[in-house]
Structure formats: C-alpha cells, structure tokens
C-alpha cells in the first residue's frame, strides 16, 4: 500500500498506522532539489513510538552530485533487493520532475575478499542497476560507455 502526502514546503506532521512487519520508504521528489529517500525497517526499534524525522533538502546545482540512498544488495550478490527496486521506481518519478539531470551509475563493494572478485561484483551491480532502470526509465537514454565502475 502506498500513502502519498503532498507538501508544498515547510514543516509538517504525518502519522501512519503500521502492522508489526510493515517497512516504510519515505521519498521526497521536488523540482530543483536532490532526490531523498529514507527507508525504515520494521525491525528498527528506534521507531517503536512517535519519532521525529528531519529530512534535509539539498538544492540542485550545476556540477554538483548527490547519492541515492537505500540501493542495497545482499553480501556477495548483484541482485537488487526488493526494497531497492521501490527506490528505483520512486527515483524514476523524480526524474519526471527533474528532466535535465545527467545520471551516472556506480557500483561499490566493501573491501572484504579478492580485489578482482570485488571489481567484477561492482561491474555486475552497475549492469544490474542499469537493467532495472531501463524498465522504469525507458524514456531516458543511458550511455553504457560512460559508466564508471
């Protein structure tokens, strides 16, 4: 189930009644501002009672980059987690609002394991994200020769 709350700016209060196993993904999509998403797991005990969540908005500026949070993979895997797929869908909606952005896809691994295996895993993560984005962002060309791995 998706609950949408439209906010024009400033401070607001929202309340959701959740089931015991419900996760929450909050995403903010506003023209001229960086995409922002916050994932809250049902297992996160810091949100067991009413909690304040401050979300800082970053102005878009030419030449300045921002990261998309909450794109996770299982350890030693390049398969995109289900929750991360939802972030990709939300980001595609964001790109409909901010159509002039240039996208660079990077895959990063930790430093555990063989460096060559990690490089291959990083490349596979990047390719996997590109394939998912092709599903959601069919209107945006992605140049594979410009990907950084």
């Amino acid at each position: 189930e998706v609950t949408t709350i439209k906010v024009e700016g400033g401070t607001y209060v929202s309340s959701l009644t959740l089931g015991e196993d419900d996760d929450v993904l909050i995403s903010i999509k506003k023209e001229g501002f960086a995409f922002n998403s916050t994932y809250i797991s049902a297992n996160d005990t810091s949100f067991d009672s009413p909690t304040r969540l401050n979300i800082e908005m970053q102005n878009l500026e030419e030449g300045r980059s921002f990261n998309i949070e909450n794109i996770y993979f299982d350890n030693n895997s390049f398969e995109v987690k289900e929750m991360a797929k939802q972030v990709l869908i939300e980001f595609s909606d964001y790109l409909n609002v901010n159509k002039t952005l240039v996208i660079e896809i990077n895959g990063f691994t930790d430093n555990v394991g063989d460096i060559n295996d990690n490089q291959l895993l990083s490349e596979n993560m990047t390719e996997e994200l590109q394939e998912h984005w092709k599903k959601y962002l069919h209107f945006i060309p992605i140049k594979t020769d410009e990907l950084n791995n």
Side-chain angles (χ1 to χ4, degrees):
E1 178 182 338
V2 175
T3 301
T4 302
I5 302 169
K6 186 168 176 74
V7 178
E8 293 302 321
T11 303
Y12 70 98
V13 174
S14 177
S15 176
L16 299 172
T17 302
L18 303 172
E20 188 174 312
D21 295 327
D22 289 342
D23 296 337
V24 176
L25 176 65
I26 300 168
S27 63
I28 299 174
K29 304 169 282 238
K30 182 166 175 64
E31 185 175 4
F33 289 86
F35 178 77
N36 197 319
S37 69
T38 301
Y39 171 72
I40 304 169
S41 169
N43 299 324
D44 186 344
T45 58
S46 65
F47 289 94
D48 281 347
S49 63
T51 303
R52 173 176 282 196
L53 180 64
N54 293 320
I55 299 175
E56 298 286 327
M57 298 298 294
Q58 175 186 343
N59 286 322
L60 290 178
E61 297 176 18
E62 188 173 334
R64 185 175 180 184
S65 65
F66 64 91
N67 294 328
I68 301 173
E69 303 297 329
N70 304 307
I71 305 293
Y72 296 114
F73 302 83
D74 284 326
N75 190 36
N76 204 30
S77 171
F78 57 87
E79 186 174 324
V80 179
K81 288 189 168 190
E82 286 302 314
M83 184 273 305
K85 291 177 186 177
Q86 292 303 312
V87 174
L88 295 174
I89 292 168
E90 291 294 315
F91 187 69
S92 69
D93 291 344
Y94 167 81
L95 289 174
N96 284 321
V97 176
N98 292 280
K99 295 181 180 191
T100 61
L101 290 180
V102 175
I103 301 170
E104 178 180 87
I105 303 172
N106 297 288
F108 297 97
T109 63
D110 57 27
N111 60 359
V112 177
D114 180 74
I115 191 168
N116 295 322
D117 291 343
N118 283 343
Q119 179 62 36
L120 180 60
L121 182 59
S122 176
E123 291 169 10
N124 287 335
M125 287 174 169
T126 301
E127 289 175 18
E128 182 75 3
L129 283 175
Q130 182 179 352
E131 289 303 312
H132 279 282
W133 271 353
K134 283 181 183 178
K135 290 179 196 174
Y136 308 121
L137 307 176
H138 49 83
F139 61 93
I140 297 175
I142 300 175
K143 296 181 182 178
T144 55
D145 59 328
E146 294 181 2
L147 294 178
N148 288 338
N149 296 315

